[in-house]
Amino acid sequence: MEGLDPDELRRVVADFPAPPDGDRFDRADGLLDGAYGAMAEIWYPELERLTAAYADGDVLRERVLEHVESVPSVRLSDGAAPLPRRREALAEAASILDEVAAVSTWYSELRALLGDDPDELTRVERLLHDVGYALAHVLFLGASTPEQVVSRLRVAYRSVGVRIDDTDSERGAERTTFTCPYRDVAAGQYGERWVCHEKLDRVDDGYVTYLAERGIDYQRPRACPRGGQCYSTVACDAPEQWWPKTAPEAVDDGVDGP
């Protein structure tokens, strides 16, 4: 990516709708199983720290995005199946506290800012994406289930020297934990795992594009935790909904976010 403007990230992060004090917040947060309170007390302070670290060049955009995606949340569906009681609880919480809807709007803007925008790819990154997309036509030919896709994907990982550490299946998702052998390449100049997650992952983005067109959700690796391991998941694409990604007013329409 060409690079995310640290000042723009700071501006968006600073606009977080902080929860008000009082009984109204306590009632709304109770309906959200404490997710709003956990966001404000635990998740948001770490987001502020990572934002400052990104501005100082100490962490990659991918690390900030990883934290953003780990936001405390309330599931509103089980895959494509709605969870009516949780949806009703979200609607009631939003009627009690305007900030519940405002958090969804804010979170949507934050994710959009941090996400991969094809228009912001460098020429080399766009080439890597296109290479991955072309390779996917061969690599995943005839693969139509998560099990078949992940089997091919693990072959691709091993072919470039990636060590598979663990495999797991849960709720229809196939998870692969692995260690990237390139995590320290150019670390002194660009930062740890820059090659893995700012460059080579563009090839994975090509896989993501190809598989999404065929109803398969491939969540490519995000920034590795401190231990050095990464993980990716493959599952059937399903319109799963959760707050704050899904705004209260969007729940009945079955769509995500404002």
Side-chain angles (χ1 to χ4, degrees), residues 1 61-62 65 115-117 121-122 124-133 194-209 220-222:
M1 304 289 288
R61 175 186 60 91
E62 287 282 354
L65 177 58
D116 292 323
D117 186 344
L121 294 178
T122 65
V124 171
E125 289 171 339
R126 192 173 294 109
L127 175 62
L128 289 172
H129 174 278
D130 293 345
V131 167
Y133 185 75
W194 178 80
V195 169
C196 281
H197 291 293
E198 287 291 343
K199 298 305 169 190
L200 292 183
D201 272 5
R202 305 285 80 80
V203 176
D204 275 286
D205 286 341
Y207 297 165
V208 170
T209 301
R220 66 163 177 80
R222 296 302 190 194

Side-chain angles (χ1 to χ4, degrees), residues 126-143 149 152-153 155-157 159-160 200-211 213-214 218:
R126 192 173 294 109
L127 175 62
L128 289 172
H129 174 278
D130 293 345
V131 167
Y133 185 75
L135 286 174
H137 285 77
V138 177
L139 181 61
F140 301 115
L141 180 64
V149 168
R152 310 278 186 88
L153 192 60
V155 169
Y157 285 168
S159 70
V160 293
L200 292 183
D201 272 5
R202 305 285 80 80
V203 176
D204 275 286
D205 286 341
Y207 297 165
V208 170
T209 301
Y210 174 88
L211 292 170
E213 293 171 351
R214 288 152 181 81
Y218 169 40

Side-chain angles (χ1 to χ4, degrees), residues 75-202:
R75 283 201 307 127
L76 305 171
S77 68
D78 184 1
L83 298 174
R85 290 186 179 179
R86 292 191 179 185
R87 293 180 176 216
E88 291 169 3
L90 174 61
E92 185 176 351
S95 69
I96 294 171
L97 206 63
D98 292 342
E99 285 84 354
V100 171
V103 167
S104 288
T105 301
W106 172 83
Y107 186 73
S108 176
E109 183 179 359
L110 181 62
R111 279 177 57 95
L113 182 65
L114 286 161
D116 292 323
D117 186 344
D119 293 334
E120 295 180 358
L121 294 178
T122 65
R123 183 176 300 176
V124 171
E125 289 171 339
R126 192 173 294 109
L127 175 62
L128 289 172
H129 174 278
D130 293 345
V131 167
Y133 185 75
L135 286 174
H137 285 77
V138 177
L139 181 61
F140 301 115
L141 180 64
S144 57
T145 67
E147 294 81 5
Q148 292 171 332
V149 168
V150 79
S151 177
R152 310 278 186 88
L153 192 60
R154 289 166 185 164
V155 169
Y157 285 168
R158 292 188 179 100
S159 70
V160 293
V162 171
R163 187 184 76 222
I164 305 296
D165 298 318
D166 190 29
T167 60
D168 189 27
S169 298
E170 183 179 358
R171 294 169 54 85
E174 301 291 329
R175 176 168 170 148
T176 304
T177 304
F178 59 90
T179 301
C180 175
Y182 315 111
R183 62 186 182 275
D184 296 323
V185 174
Q189 182 176 0
Y190 297 107
E192 191 178 6
R193 293 183 285 275
W194 178 80
V195 169
C196 281
H197 291 293
E198 287 291 343
K199 298 305 169 190
L200 292 183
D201 272 5
R202 305 285 80 80

